[in-house]
């Protein structure tokens, strides 16, 4: 696993069959193939409803998730997800 640092992640607005927003990291060997912008996530708007969808690759196919559900998921992570060290200190070893 490679953890991407915050300063390696960029966003850009792209126009390809409509407007999208991409979250990407710079990859590649500068000496060999220059830097390649590789999108990790894309956000699209529905043509009829303007509802926003987050597009990701999963199981070898592209899927689009409603952005409102993704927002709820991220908000839940703020309060519900903690490190193992946090649980050791705050749950399992309380005195």
């Amino acid at each position: 696993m490679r953890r991407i640092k915050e300063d390696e992640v960029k966003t850009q607005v792209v126009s390809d069959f409509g407007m999208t927003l991409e979250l990407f990291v710079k990859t590649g060997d500068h000496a060999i193939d220059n830097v390649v912008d590789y999108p990790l996530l894309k956000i699209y708007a529905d043509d009829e409803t303007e509802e926003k969808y987050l597009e990701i690759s999963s199981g070898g196919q592209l899927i689009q998730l409603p952005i409102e559900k993704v927002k709820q998921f991220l908000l839940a992570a703020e309060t519900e997800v903690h490190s193992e060290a946090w649980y050791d200190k705050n749950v399992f070893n309380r005195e």
Side-chain angles (χ1 to χ4, degrees), residues 51-65:
E51 183 179 6
K52 306 302 186 278
Y53 288 87
L54 174 68
E55 182 178 276
I56 61 173
S57 177
S58 179
Q61 65 179 353
L62 292 176
I63 60 170
Q64 292 185 341
L65 303 166

Side-chain angles (χ1 to χ4, degrees), residues 15-27:
S15 179
D16 58 9
F17 307 112
M19 298 301 293
T20 64
L21 180 65
E22 295 181 349
L23 185 72
F24 67 94
V25 295
K26 293 207 177 270
T27 61

Side-chain angles (χ1 to χ4, degrees), residues 2-39:
R2 178 173 178 244
R3 183 173 288 172
I4 306 296
K5 297 177 184 158
E6 185 176 348
D7 63 350
E8 295 177 286
V9 179
K10 308 292 183 205
T11 59
Q12 65 185 1
V13 175
V14 179
S15 179
D16 58 9
F17 307 112
M19 298 301 293
T20 64
L21 180 65
E22 295 181 349
L23 185 72
F24 67 94
V25 295
K26 293 207 177 270
T27 61
D29 185 325
H30 297 277
I32 298 171
D33 61 2
N34 294 320
V35 177
V36 176
D37 294 340
Y38 179 75

